[in-house]
Every structure is written in C-alpha cells, then in structure tokens.
Amino acid sequence: MLSNSKVRSVLLGFSMAFWLIFALFFVNCSDSGQNTIGSDSDNPEVDHDNATDSDPLDEAPPTVCTPNALRCDPDSDTVVNICLNDGSGWDVYRDCADSQPAKICQDGDCILPGDLDEEEVEPDEDSDVQDNDPVEDDTDEEREEESTIVECPGHPEMVLIDDFCIDRWEAVAMEYEDCGGTAYGQYDDDYPDGFPRCVDCGESDESGHCEEVGGYCPYDGERGEQTKTIYACSIENVLPSRYITWFRARKACLNSDKRLCSMDEWIRACEGPEQRVFPYGDTFIEESCHTDTTEPIETGQYNECVSQEGVVDQIGNLAEWSATTFIPGSADFNILGCYWSCTYPDHLSCNPNDPTLHNKSYTRWEYIGFRCCKDIGNE
C-alpha cells in the first residue's frame, strides 16, 4: 500500500504532464490560425492604388474641331457649319441660300456666286498655323469687298460708280478737316454759331430770298456766310449727323471738296447695276436695314443693308438730303431712304414711287441726315 507521500508525488506528476500537453496543443492551434488568415491563397488581393490605374470613363471626349470655327458643310453648297464649344462636332450655323440675293458658301462664309475667283478656289497656301485660324475667315470680308467695291481714287471713304463717287456711309459733321475734333448734330442741333442754319444764303432782299442757293430762308439772323468751317466725314461705326439743314449739309460737303448727291445719283448707287428695288434685292426684308425701330444707330451695323456698289445704310437709319428740288426753283428738296421708324416698303425702296418725300431747305429735323458725292478728278 502506497504511502500518502508517494500518492501525492504520482498525482503531481500526472498534473504536470496534463498541463504540458495542453500548453503544446494551444501553441500549435495559435500558429495554425495565424498562417490561415495571412494566406495569399485564401484571400484575393485588393488593389487600393489608383495612381497607376487607367479608367476610360475619366478620359475627355475626343476633339474633332476647333471651338467656334466655321466651315462649309461637306454635303451642301450653301450651309455654313460651326464647331461646338467643346470641339466635339459640327452644327448648322446659317444657310447662305436664305440671303437676299441667295449666296453660296466658300471658306466658311456666304458670298455671291459672281464673286468666285477661279484662282481663289484653289487651296490656300496659308495654313494659318501662325494665327491659329483653321478657317480662312480673316480674308473673306476683304475678298468680298475687293470684288464688289471700287474705291474712289484718293478717297477710301467713297466708292466709284460710273462717273461719280459717293460716300460709303452716312456723313457726320466734324470740326476738323481730318475728321477729328467735335462731332456736331448727333444728339441735338449743337452746330456752332459760325455755321448758321442758312449758311451761304445771302440777304439780298427782305423776303429772305437766296440767290441761286436753296430758294429762300425766312429766318432773319440765320442767313450769312460761315465763320466756322465744318466738314463732312463719311465714317463707319459712328452716329451720323442730323438736325442739319439742306444749306448746312451742302456747305459741309463743299468744305470737304465734295457736293450733295443728286436724286438720280443717289438712286443709281442704291439700285446697283441690276436696278434692284431695294439695295439687297427685289423682295422687301424688314430686318435687313435699320427700320421699324425707335432711334438711329451708328453707321454700318447691318451687313445686309448694302448695295451692289458697296454703299451702306441708304435705306433706314437717317433720311438723306439730295441736291434735287421737288419743284424746280422752290426751297423744297427731295429726301431719300426714309429713316429709322419707317415701315412702308415703298418709302424704303431705292426709287420710291411716292414723290412727296421732301422738305424745306431751311428746316432741321432729327430724322434727316446726308451724304456727299464727288465728280471724278474734282480735287
């Protein structure tokens, strides 16, 4: 029979063996678990590095044209295309066939068929690499002007028609011969005292009769010679002069070595060689000139209000004095072209059938202006 001390020794040995086996089992389980969680074969790789990934959804759409560039539609002789703002494609900009007269498209611009030049149809050697202009817009206007306008010798502000020249734009009365200084008559009758209402109208008798000039002037103190010289200037993008009497308009033209246009000259410049009813064609188009509105504007703002000869704004904006009397020997002079608020097509034609558009030479109205003519070689 075992003693108590031996029994305790045997139990202690069993206990130590048990805990040693348990400890070894726990360590093996722990190592096996860590190896399983870190296994590359059990967990797919997740890539969180976006710096080198290529995402086709993030790429910008391809650019096919230069934004706002113009071209002729490849499938049409008249349609002008414009490149969209994002450069992704072309859209319709305008149809040249809607113009009066109908035009065709060349180099992204609308021109008359008669303006085509065989040499200019050839590809342009200038690729516009330096000015970044893929469409030859920068020469289209010059090409059209060269083909339709004959400049008056020595007077680029005038055009040559038959045997006379005429101002391209409605005139503005200026202080200096070089068209500098103060512009008169744009907003009010602010002409200087030295340029009287009936300038060059003599005071030969008490009735105010003006010998050989303008019929008569009933205003005492408004007749006499000029002491302040005012010049007639034909300028684009300026408000033309009004509140000007026939006498003043005539004198301003003479001061600039020009003269007032006769009614026949004015009509010839407006009708062109084809004798059009309106400067832009034979069909009335209300939006082509500055009409049916409330006030005048600067010259040259309507691209369609141009005659075949290149004379601008003869219809609308301001009515214009002529050198032709309504009744021979009277103080009534024909005015032409109507003005900014006119709507009746006959009054807005180049050669109106209504002969009643005239005014007294000494009157000054807000709606009447002028332009000048010049004989060739009259320097």
Side-chain angles (χ1 to χ4, degrees):
M1 187 172 184
L2 297 174
S3 63
N4 289 336
S5 60
K6 288 183 178 182
V7 173
R8 285 194 297 269
S9 296
V10 171
L11 292 176
L12 178 62
F14 278 115
S15 176
M16 291 178 64
F18 171 80
W19 286 112
L20 178 61
I21 293 171
F22 178 80
L24 291 174
F25 177 79
F26 178 81
V27 170
N28 288 334
C29 289
S30 298
D31 289 343
S32 176
Q34 289 175 357
N35 291 336
T36 302
I37 294 176
S39 173
D40 291 339
S41 62
D42 293 336
N43 294 282
E45 178 182 349
V46 178
D47 184 6
H48 297 285
D49 183 7
N50 294 326
T52 59
D53 288 347
S54 177
D55 187 354
L57 297 178
D58 294 335
E59 295 179 0
T63 299
V64 299
C65 55
T66 302
N68 299 317
L70 301 177
R71 71 167 187 183
C72 294
D73 192 313
D75 299 324
S76 172
D77 293 332
T78 62
V79 173
V80 179
N81 292 149
I82 186 170
C83 182
L84 300 175
N85 290 333
D86 60 1
S88 61
W90 298 91
D91 196 4
V92 175
Y93 180 65
R94 65 179 299 193
D95 192 335
C96 303
D98 295 336
S99 304
Q100 290 292 333
K103 298 180 180 181
I104 62 174
C105 183
Q106 181 180 341
D107 293 334
D109 196 13
C110 295
I111 67 171
L112 292 171
D115 294 341
L116 282 171
D117 188 322
E118 292 183 359
E119 295 181 359
E120 291 170 348
V121 174
E122 296 297 326
D124 195 337
E125 295 179 358
D126 177 12
S127 63
D128 271 358
V129 173
Q130 294 180 349
D131 59 10
N132 294 319
D133 184 2
V135 182
E136 284 293 341
D137 273 351
D138 50 356
T139 59
D140 291 339
E141 292 182 3
E142 294 175 6
R143 183 184 301 120
E144 185 169 349
E145 281 197 353
E146 289 172 0
S147 62
T148 59
I149 297 175
V150 180
E151 188 176 290
C152 184
H155 289 272
E157 80 284 4
M158 307 183 82
V159 296
L160 176 63
I161 302 175
D162 298 334
D163 58 352
F164 69 95
C165 298
I166 185 171
D167 282 344
R168 191 176 304 183
W169 302 282
E170 293 168 315
V172 57
M174 298 298 298
E175 182 177 10
Y176 300 124
E177 187 174 8
D178 64 356
C179 297
T182 302
Y184 298 102
Q186 293 178 309
Y187 304 98
D188 200 357
D189 182 3
D190 57 357
Y191 298 92
D193 293 338
F195 197 59
R197 178 191 295 198
C198 299
V199 61
D200 275 0
C201 179
E203 300 183 49
S204 57
D205 57 46
E206 295 179 357
S207 67
H209 177 73
C210 304
E211 295 180 359
E212 300 180 358
V213 178
Y216 70 98
C217 177
Y219 297 104
D220 189 23
E222 291 284 356
R223 302 184 294 268
E225 303 298 318
Q226 69 176 2
T227 58
K228 172 65 176 177
T229 305
I230 301 299
Y231 299 90
C233 294
S234 178
I235 309 174
E236 187 179 15
N237 298 322
V238 300
L239 192 65
S241 293
R242 45 192 175 137
Y243 302 99
I244 191 167
T245 64
W246 178 92
F247 287 102
R248 282 172 170 165
R250 170 186 175 274
K251 190 63 175 177
C253 288
L254 291 175
N255 291 337
S256 299
D257 294 325
K258 303 178 184 180
R259 57 175 174 78
L260 274 180
C261 304
S262 70
M263 184 173 179
D264 288 342
E265 290 171 331
W266 193 97
I267 292 173
R268 167 65 183 84
C270 184
E271 289 182 333
E274 297 179 2
Q275 294 185 318
R276 294 174 174 175
V277 178
F278 306 98
Y280 45 80
D282 292 330
T283 302
F284 177 67
I285 303 176
E286 184 177 353
E287 298 82 7
S288 290
C289 297
H290 189 60
T291 60
D292 193 16
T293 185
T294 58
E295 60 184 357
I297 61 172
E298 292 80 6
T299 56
Q301 303 305 303
Y302 283 73
N303 294 331
E304 298 296 328
C305 197
V306 184
S307 74
Q308 287 180 289
E309 309 288 3
V311 185
V312 182
D313 295 337
Q314 286 188 268
I315 300 302
N317 208 27
L318 295 183
E320 300 175 22
W321 285 112
S322 78
T324 304
T325 55
F326 174 62
I327 300 175
S330 73
D332 288 297
F333 286 84
N334 290 319
I335 58 174
L336 301 162
C338 213
Y339 59 105
W340 68 83
S341 68
C342 289
T343 58
Y344 186 47
D346 180 62
H347 289 172
L348 296 170
S349 64
C350 292
N351 188 3
N353 295 322
D354 186 350
T356 62
L357 298 177
H358 59 92
N359 273 92
K360 299 290 186 182
S361 55
Y362 51 80
T363 57
R364 50 190 177 184
W365 300 99
E366 64 175 349
Y367 59 86
I368 303 179
F370 72 113
R371 78 176 71 215
C372 306
C373 282
K374 182 179 178 64
D375 296 317
I376 296 177
N378 180 20
E379 299 293 340

